[in-house]
Amino acid sequence: MKKYSLIVGILIIASLIFTACLPDTTGGGGGSAAEGLPDLGGRTIIVAVENAYPPFNMIDEASGDGVGWDYDVVREICTRINCVPEFAQAAWDGIFPAMAAGEYDMLADGVTFTAERDQTVDFSIPYVTIGQVLLVRADETRTLDEFIADAAALIGTQLGTTNEIVAKETFPAERVQSFEDFGGAVLALLSGDIDGIVIDNVSAAGFMSANVDQMKIADQITSDEQLAFVFPPGSDLIEPVNAALQSMMDDGKLDELNIKWGLK
């Protein structure tokens, strides 16, 4: 009888070990939200990214994968509230109508909060405050005032951005050329087709890192823009994402990722 009990006991233990080693097939990979945070139950969320806005998002040339601040922060958010991010590349032009129509669950692309945008989409709490700068070639000697006064100076920026608004407020509109993305503006600057780019300071640093010793910041233009994530109007993701973001601010994780990607 004791021998039988021993065999049964061994079989039970072996069964428990085998079960523990099986892959989890429940939603969300069997994860759970961090203590005190909302739990999305493993829900998949479609996150729009441009993949052309370093250091927020870009394609790593070696691997072909999307990388950047947005990828790291959104993944950390989902770890905390038990969701699965699915990143979808989207062109900046038309992204706000797409968000308003609910084509994506969330937009992570270094987006500036504005009252005008807030009328059609919803925003998270801000995660960083940035400023607009004039990005120029490394051998440039003109100051911002000299650029403004020089009727021949051409300025690039990105279409449909607050950068474009600042560029046209700072320089005559006829001297501002708007590109589909900042990558195109940077190529035009380096080839000499334009003389400067109005861009936020964080992204300027990202492009300078990718083009070492070829560009520099000439001057600061503004310093008070708040960046936030974007959602379709009335999205039920706003509160959970805000809670996760706040927890990352509180425990230092957001600072860690900001430092990693040059946001501070």
Side-chain angles (χ1 to χ4, degrees), residues 176-262:
V176 176
Q177 297 184 11
S178 298
F179 294 78
E180 288 188 9
D181 57 50
F182 275 113
V186 167
L187 289 175
L189 177 65
L190 294 177
S191 66
D193 293 333
I194 59 175
D195 301 290
I197 302 173
V198 175
I199 186 173
D200 71 75
N201 58 302
V202 173
S203 292
F207 281 110
M208 286 190 295
S209 295
N211 300 272
V212 178
D213 297 330
Q214 296 186 65
M215 296 181 291
K216 67 181 181 180
I217 292 173
D219 280 290
Q220 185 92 17
I221 303 173
T222 69
S223 59
D224 58 354
E225 294 189 22
Q226 292 187 313
L227 305 188
F229 296 117
V230 178
F231 304 88
S235 171
D236 63 352
L237 285 174
I238 300 171
E239 184 178 344
V241 168
N242 280 346
L245 258 181
Q246 188 61 58
S247 73
M248 291 169 66
M249 294 175 187
D250 293 342
D251 65 18
K253 184 64 177 181
L254 191 62
D255 272 344
E256 177 187 322
L257 294 176
N258 286 347
I259 292 169
K260 173 183 176 181
W261 291 105

Side-chain angles (χ1 to χ4, degrees), residues 27-28 40-45 78 81-85 105 235-237 240:
L40 298 185
R43 170 179 166 184
T44 297
I45 61 172
C78 273
I81 57 176
N82 190 19
C83 57
V84 179
D105 297 313
S235 171
D236 63 352
L237 285 174

